[in-house]
Amino acid sequence: MSIIDPRTGEALTAPIESGDAANAQASPESTPAGGGDVRREDVIIDLDASNIQQVLEASMQVPVLLDCWAPWCEPCKNLMPVLEKLAVEYGGAFLLAKLDVEANPEISGQLGVRSVPDVKLVSQGGLVDSFQGALPEKEIREWLGRYFQAPDDVPPSPEEQAEEALKAGDAATAREIYQTLTSQYPDHYAYQVSLASALVAEGRGDEARSVLDNLPPEERDAAPARGVRASIAFGEQALSHEEIAALGERSDSEAQFQRALRHVADGDYETGLEGLLALMKSDRAYGDDAARKTLLQVFDALGADHPLTVAYRRKLFALLY
């Protein structure tokens, strides 16, 4: 049996003769169909020439996730524990077969593995999909979600934990989570941008700016990083939370502007944009058209395609014309 790539109709593996059944580490009969508690050994196997035929046959009844890795590959070491956790969590919805490409060069060559980590989803003896590189857990869950129903009671991902911490005002916890993620996934630059954002929330703008400065040029100049830089700049311009609280019930133009600026600095862009737009309506001349100028700065920081930019550009246009 060979793994067939449905996109080309070509075999990814050469036909392999059946091996000794006693060497099989997975079989349809021993594999749960999904759901319920499973043991790690029920859903995770080491793949080699002695059992690849049995694994391919198993794929006729249960999908197989092939994790092609190498001992010298650091990203592989970060990815494998995530895949193992998900295999158990998904309760047998798929088997995880781990292939050491260095120890099995013939099989990896037949599979067309050119770099590791390389993860392939095989079902009914055919290649369904694949991804390369050590994707973060959140992205792997999204990828699996195309093919499998998510298990119940899924624990929050690290990204979700960080987001909840930020919402709760616990920027330190969010920063610690993103520091761990950036260490595990140094090439996933979105985590570095999120780390910078958490540092801004902690009031550590200089450190955040340093993180952004160390990004590759294309990431440093992209909208997410620009947005964090804008938060740093707005934070340096805005009044502190204590000073905002001291404004009390004031509703004059200066108070409106400062509250809006504080919202923007805190990353609550929609509330800030709404406040700036309201100030334009009530006092266009304030601060030499400061509300409109700040709106444009926020648009630039968010990027032209951001939903808030699109929505509030329309509102600004309607107000002006």
Side-chain angles (χ1 to χ4, degrees), residues 115-120 130-135:
S115 64
V116 289
D118 187 339
V119 178
K120 303 178 185 295
S130 64
F131 69 82
Q132 288 72 45
L135 297 184

Side-chain angles (χ1 to χ4, degrees), residues 138 156-181 190-191 194-195 197-199 201:
K138 184 177 181 180
S157 66
E159 298 94 330
E160 291 169 335
Q161 293 176 36
E163 291 168 6
E164 287 301 316
L166 282 174
K167 289 179 182 177
D170 186 1
T173 294
R175 185 247 310 155
E176 291 171 359
I177 292 172
Y178 285 124
Q179 284 174 330
T180 299
L181 290 171
Y191 286 148
S194 295
L195 171 60
S197 181
L199 286 167

